[in-house]
Amino acid sequence: MENYVATFHTHLSALRSCRALQKEETGARMAPVPRVLSSSCGTCVFYHGEDPLLSLLDRDLEAVYLREGELFRAVHKGEE
């Protein structure tokens, strides 16, 4: 399983996404966005999965990052 971080344009989108991911037992949790990443709302969702699980993330997704220790690599950019 890989560890991911999803950032969002709104707090509501982060909350909706976290709830959807929790239903799939991904270990999803909301947290402040790490300083090395940017986010419009300041809230992100940490979760794990075999892939980024984009179908479970709300439409106001900003980006998804693969977390490798303290490093983050963008794997998906949301719609602008």
Side-chain angles (χ1 to χ4, degrees):
M1 292 253 181
E2 300 288 352
N3 293 309
Y4 295 96
V5 179
T7 59
F8 301 88
H9 294 287
T10 65
H11 181 77
L12 181 59
S13 290
L15 181 62
R16 286 178 178 164
S17 297
C18 188
R19 287 180 179 167
L21 288 163
Q22 286 172 338
K23 287 180 183 177
E24 298 298 318
E25 298 183 10
T26 62
R29 65 182 175 84
M30 291 178 64
V33 175
R35 290 192 183 268
V36 297
L37 304 177
S38 68
S39 173
S40 297
C41 74
T43 305
C44 70
V45 177
F46 287 92
Y47 65 99
H48 57 265
E50 295 295 326
D51 60 67
L53 304 170
L54 298 175
S55 64
L56 298 176
L57 303 177
D58 198 64
R59 60 182 161 78
D60 275 345
L61 174 69
E62 182 179 43
V64 177
Y65 300 87
L66 178 62
R67 183 177 183 183
E68 300 164 330
E70 294 301 314
L71 301 175
F72 300 92
R73 180 173 49 93
V75 294
H76 177 81
K77 295 286 186 177
E79 299 294 321
E80 295 293 320

